[in-house]
Amino acid sequence: SNCVTGVQTCALPIWDLTSFDKVKDRIVCRLVNPKRCKPAIDQLVHKGFLDMTMTFRIIVSFEEAEESTLISMPISNMLFSEWGITVDQLYEIAAKNTVRIFGAETLSMTDILLSQMAPEEREIFRQILDDAPLKQYVLSNRTRTYGAALMFCSDEIKKCAEAWGSDVLILPSSVHEVILLPMITPDQVNINDPDEVNAMGDYEEKSVNNNLL
């Protein structure tokens, strides 16, 4: 049965994977760096965004818990050719499913860092972080995995621009999340190289892009 929800997706029988009607509610987006996915990317249906590439996957099983479990399979060109739809139609379907199933969240870097500290350390560092001239935010999904696709699947960045009253500087730090900053004057920005951000907590193969957007 087709029982996709925001928190659990029942296992899909293997023989249903080729039926578009049976998998359309399970198709989601995954953003990758094409330079690091060659030659496999050529075998998959994909859509380009700047120097990044959106691939698409079918969720076979997903259970959201403290330790989420996700099983998915990539959509190959061969499988896609049987469905009789365009890549743009596939993207539109997958983008909606991605937000519906995994959610979209923008959290302040301050809150993320403080949540990882011991209670006695939080007040000491809160003032330091609150006084930082450059406020940073992290866009990802509830599972904190493969959340970078939300750059192109959700309206979270538009919401941030409206809330901040400014344009948004986008730093795709890894396939799992995107760093967002309110657009300010160049002399206020102290980011020497996006590679430095990618190197802080993500291995090279997880990096989705090395450019500021």
Side-chain angles (χ1 to χ4, degrees):
S1 63
N2 188 7
C3 53
V4 178
T5 70
V7 296
Q8 186 172 7
T9 302
C10 298
L12 183 71
I14 192 69
W15 52 84
D16 284 345
L17 293 175
T18 58
S19 170
F20 178 71
D21 286 338
K22 291 183 178 180
V23 302
K24 63 183 180 181
D25 291 334
R26 297 170 173 262
I27 298 171
V28 295
C29 297
R30 179 173 294 185
L31 196 65
V32 300
N33 185 328
K35 294 180 181 178
R36 294 177 178 140
C37 295
K38 289 281 188 180
I41 196 73
D42 295 329
Q43 307 302 316
L44 305 178
V45 58
H46 57 276
K47 180 179 175 67
F49 288 92
L50 302 176
D51 60 348
M52 295 167 280
T53 298
M54 189 74 76
T55 61
F56 305 91
R57 302 182 73 90
I58 298 171
I59 295 179
V60 178
S61 178
F62 173 54
E63 183 175 355
E64 185 174 350
E66 186 172 344
E67 294 291 336
S68 297
T69 302
L70 171 66
I71 302 173
S72 66
M73 63 168 282
I75 300 176
S76 66
N77 291 322
M78 183 179 298
L79 176 59
F80 177 68
S81 67
E82 299 177 6
W83 289 348
I85 62 173
T86 67
V87 174
D88 285 340
Q89 289 173 322
L90 179 68
Y91 164 67
E92 184 177 348
I93 292 169
K96 292 178 180 177
N97 289 341
T98 299
V99 176
R100 175 175 56 84
I101 295 172
F102 299 116
E105 297 179 343
T106 302
L107 303 176
S108 75
M109 187 71 78
T110 296
D111 290 341
I112 293 174
L113 293 174
L114 290 175
S115 69
Q116 299 171 357
M117 296 179 184
E120 61 273 13
E121 297 176 325
R122 290 174 188 165
E123 288 308 313
I124 298 173
F125 285 96
R126 180 182 296 277
Q127 188 63 45
I128 297 173
L129 294 171
D130 285 344
D131 290 343
L134 193 61
K135 304 299 182 184
Q136 300 183 40
Y137 300 82
V138 177
L139 169 61
S140 189
N141 54 36
R142 289 191 303 269
T143 67
R144 301 292 183 267
T145 55
Y146 298 105
L150 292 168
M151 273 193 294
F152 305 110
C153 294
S154 73
D155 59 357
E156 283 293 303
I157 294 177
K158 179 181 178 182
K159 290 179 181 177
C160 288
E162 293 173 348
W164 300 339
S166 71
D167 291 335
V168 178
L169 185 65
I170 305 169
L171 180 58
S173 59
S174 82
V175 296
H176 301 304
E177 70 278 315
V178 178
I179 295 177
L180 307 178
L181 304 93
M183 185 66 77
I184 52 181
T185 58
D187 61 321
Q188 292 175 285
V189 181
N190 188 26
I191 298 178
N192 296 321
D193 187 345
D195 281 328
E196 295 178 5
V197 178
N198 287 332
M200 286 193 297
D202 298 286
Y203 296 104
E204 184 176 355
E205 61 268 22
K206 294 182 181 179
S207 173
V208 72
N209 177 284
N210 283 344
N211 297 310
L212 297 174
L213 304 182

